[in-house]
Amino acid sequence: MSKTGDPQEQNQAPLIEHLIELRSRLMRAVIAILVIFLGLYAFANDIYSFVAQPLMALLPEGSQMIATEVASPFLAPFKLTLVVAVFAAIPYVLHQAWAFVAPGLYDNEKALALPILASSIALFYGGAAFAYYVVFPLLFQFFTQTGPEDVAVMTDINQYLNFVLKLFFAFGVAFEIPIATFLLILSGATTVESLSKKRPYVVLACFVIGMLLTPPDIVSQSLLAVPMYLLYEVGLLFGRLVRRKREKDEEDEEL
């Protein structure tokens, strides 16, 4: 006579399978990061020189950075290369995350989630590029020209790295605002009209966030706050387009 399996064991079986798949996806992501890191490590010093170029271009000829700690000449390029490896592996890491959650999504959710995922990656990269090519030259020019003339600027390589990584992250996250605004409107948590009425508060919030995420000077705060507000308006624009499309689809269904 056949025996029915324990219901508790049957319920645990799918959970164990999901955990095994999650572990597999995480291992693939970690391996991808390690492979990229090993491939880039030979160029660690060149990568650091590239990141330091916006500051070095504004220093007097013959100037150089300094290392105030014994291990800094090794650890700073090592840390930066690891961060770059993670940065470069983000599309593959998110692909693994997508492959894990996609089977549980409906077709309409998949059709919407994939463009959002791709645009999120592009916006994060765009925020980092904006920080490097636009913000850094303006910011470092301000810093190097406002100090006393008899003070030589000799930046520690580790302190500089921490500074620029903070700005990379801040601008990368800030450029996700259109996605966040769009999702809030799409989910029905709020409306375009409601968000439009909150513009004064949004402007204030952008400058407060800029104050918290950037160095304590009005230049860097403004360079983050102004793009954040403009990106907020971009999110509202896409929200309006989605609302019009929904209204049109509803009218077509009624007809």
Side-chain angles (χ1 to χ4, degrees):
M1 184 174 66
S2 61
K3 295 183 179 179
T4 304
D6 187 353
Q8 184 176 0
E9 292 181 358
Q10 293 179 356
N11 292 333
Q12 289 178 348
L15 176 60
I16 293 174
E17 291 177 359
H18 286 308
L19 290 176
I20 292 174
E21 183 183 0
L22 178 60
R23 182 185 66 178
S24 175
R25 299 289 179 186
L26 289 174
M27 288 299 297
R28 292 178 186 178
V30 171
I31 290 172
I33 293 172
L34 289 176
V35 169
I36 296 175
F37 171 76
L38 293 175
L40 293 177
Y41 184 70
F43 308 97
N45 291 335
D46 295 329
I47 294 172
Y48 191 94
S49 298
F50 174 78
V51 173
Q53 181 59 31
L55 175 62
M56 297 302 298
L58 297 170
L59 296 180
E61 187 176 355
S63 299
Q64 59 184 5
M65 289 187 174
I66 61 173
T68 58
E69 299 177 0
V70 175
S72 291
F74 166 75
L75 290 179
F78 180 92
K79 178 181 176 182
L80 176 59
T81 305
L82 182 59
V83 172
V84 171
V86 174
F87 192 79
I90 284 178
Y92 182 78
V93 172
L94 292 180
H95 170 72
Q96 293 300 316
W98 167 256
F100 179 73
V101 302
L105 300 177
Y106 295 107
D107 290 339
N108 60 334
E109 292 175 335
K110 291 180 181 179
L112 184 62
L114 198 56
I116 290 177
L117 185 64
S119 58
S120 297
I121 297 172
L123 284 170
F124 188 87
Y125 285 161
F130 179 81
Y132 182 84
Y133 290 105
V134 178
V135 177
F136 287 180
L138 296 174
L139 193 61
F140 296 144
Q141 185 176 21
F142 173 78
F143 286 155
T144 55
Q145 293 182 356
T146 55
E149 295 183 359
D150 56 347
V151 174
V153 179
M154 293 187 296
T155 306
D156 176 65
I157 59 173
N158 197 44
Q159 294 296 324
Y160 176 81
L161 178 60
N162 293 335
F163 178 83
V164 297
L165 288 182
K166 182 179 179 181
L167 288 180
F168 277 136
F169 179 77
F171 278 87
V173 172
F175 270 56
E176 300 294 331
I177 287 178
I179 300 298
T181 306
F182 175 77
L183 290 177
L184 286 173
I185 297 171
L186 183 66
S187 64
T190 185
T191 63
V192 176
E193 290 75 12
S194 177
L195 291 176
S196 299
K197 293 178 181 178
K198 293 181 174 61
R199 281 192 176 96
Y201 303 102
V202 172
V203 172
L204 178 61
C206 288
F207 277 93
V208 171
I209 294 173
M211 178 185 65
L212 295 175
L213 295 181
T214 61
D217 65 275
I218 190 62
V219 176
S220 55
Q221 293 170 13
S222 300
L223 288 174
L224 179 58
V226 173
M228 284 176 64
Y229 175 73
L230 295 177
L231 291 167
Y232 174 79
E233 292 292 342
V234 171
L236 291 181
L237 175 62
F238 280 107
R240 291 189 182 95
L241 295 176
V242 170
R243 184 185 63 183
R244 291 174 184 173
K245 185 177 183 304
R246 280 184 173 179
E247 293 174 351
K248 183 179 180 181
D249 292 341
E250 290 175 357
E251 291 177 357
D252 293 340
E253 289 178 359
E254 291 177 356
L255 295 175

